[in-house]
Amino acid sequence: MTNSLLAKFEGVNGGVVAVDLPVGATHAIFKGENQLIVDNTAIVAIPLDQEPGQPYLRVLLSGNLATDIHFTVNAKKYPEQHITISDEKMVTPPEEVLERIGRESARMKEAYALRTRQQPDLFPILIPVSGPVSGVFGSRRVFNGKPRNPHSGIDYAADEGTPIVAPAPGTVALTGDLYFNGNTVVIDHGGGFVSVMCHLHEVFVEVNQQLKRGDTIGTVGSTGRSTGPHLHWTISLQGTKVDPAVFMDVTNQLAKKGKDKKQE
């Protein structure tokens, strides 16, 4: 049995939308993926290339029932950023490193594909490092005049050696010195929620290590393709990269709402 439940929930391409679920909901599916559910609210990941409109979330209920909840995707235009890289090999890699880049890309794809059990007490999300935002999610990047993929995360400028903390509980899924990302830490928070921290100076954690919110994972650096000390933070939900700033805003509001309810 299927029916359609129309509701007004709004988000933008590259962001997330919090959709309240009916009582008895067991799964919330968008684009073939089970979305993150916290306190009977689905956190739906909206791809950067999602067209504006009113797609729907398929919600599975007990008793083999299902309903569709429509939400609105508004178009967001992202800025263009021109960056000068002194090391041309970081813009157009030489042939001898292409195999390495391919191996590292495969490792990252495996990390983004993780769908482990969701960690309890995920929210609120912490900002991993204190510092001004120096690069926004979704910006079209042009390196030395050559267009490249949109920026997959958010950048925080900070002095080299500044501590970086885990934004939420999770398990270290990957560490290593990657060609473009430099020293990298990937945290699997479960439920398809993955954090990627790049360009670190030092890494203090190892694969399979369990982390609590606020644990120090390393320090700010400028390794890989970088023009100065900063932290690059990517958030992937169900394999879809979303704006960490929007994700934090939406999820931390939910956490505050849940806390207020408990205090009533």
Side-chain angles (χ1 to χ4, degrees):
M1 175 181 177
T2 303
N3 59 57
S4 179
L5 177 62
L6 292 175
K8 188 170 179 62
F9 302 103
E10 294 189 59
V12 298
N13 53 304
V16 299
V17 59
V19 178
D20 294 334
L21 302 178
V23 175
T26 58
H27 296 80
I29 303 169
F30 182 56
K31 293 189 175 293
E33 286 275 5
N34 284 314
Q35 302 298 297
L36 191 67
I37 297 178
V38 177
D39 293 334
N40 215 48
T41 299
I43 313 299
V44 183
I46 308 174
L48 193 59
D49 60 1
Q50 177 74 38
E51 293 292 332
Q54 289 193 318
Y56 66 87
L57 182 69
R58 170 59 54 91
V59 180
L60 304 185
L61 307 166
S62 56
N64 294 321
L65 300 178
T67 189
D68 297 335
I69 301 180
H70 291 258
F71 59 93
T72 299
V73 176
N74 298 311
K76 179 175 180 178
K77 186 175 181 180
Y78 291 88
E80 186 169 277
Q81 186 177 20
H82 290 256
I83 300 171
T84 299
I85 302 289
S86 58
D87 186 354
E88 182 62 30
K89 295 194 297 296
M90 284 295 172
V91 179
T92 306
E95 217 170 292
E96 58 267 24
V97 301
L98 295 182
E99 185 178 342
R100 172 191 170 183
I101 292 172
R103 290 195 308 269
E104 293 172 354
S105 177
R107 291 178 68 197
M108 291 302 300
K109 284 181 180 178
E110 289 178 1
Y112 288 130
L114 289 169
R115 302 291 185 271
T116 57
R117 186 175 180 179
Q118 185 174 318
Q119 293 278 345
D121 190 32
L122 270 182
F123 307 141
I125 303 297
L126 297 180
I127 295 176
V129 71
S130 178
V133 172
S134 57
V136 297
F137 172 86
S139 57
R140 290 184 53 81
R141 293 200 145 183
V142 181
F143 291 102
N144 296 0
K146 299 171 183 177
R148 293 295 184 261
N149 292 331
H151 193 215
S152 63
I154 189 169
D155 292 341
Y156 295 99
D159 292 337
E160 184 175 292
T162 303
I164 300 166
V165 302
T171 303
V172 178
L174 182 154
T175 65
D177 180 10
L178 310 186
Y179 187 81
F180 288 120
N181 292 349
N183 290 328
T184 301
V185 174
V186 178
I187 305 172
D188 173 24
H189 304 287
F193 168 23
V194 174
S195 282
V196 182
M197 312 289 188
C198 304
H199 310 302
L200 278 65
H201 177 62
E202 293 180 287
V203 172
F204 298 152
V205 294
E206 56 188 25
V207 172
N208 294 326
Q209 183 174 335
Q210 300 295 308
L211 300 174
K212 299 188 296 294
R213 180 189 295 103
D215 281 351
T216 301
I217 64 168
T219 60
V220 170
S222 186
T223 55
R225 184 164 66 188
S226 171
T227 58
H230 74 286
L231 170 69
H232 169 98
W233 178 27
T234 288
I235 287 181
S236 174
L237 295 179
Q238 329 310 326
T240 295
K241 298 179 182 70
V242 297
D243 187 343
V246 175
F247 180 74
M248 278 191 294
D249 183 51
V250 169
T251 56
N252 289 355
Q253 283 187 43
L254 287 175
K256 183 178 184 303
K257 188 187 298 182
K259 183 178 179 181
D260 291 345
K261 280 185 179 180
K262 288 178 182 178
Q263 292 176 346
E264 288 178 357

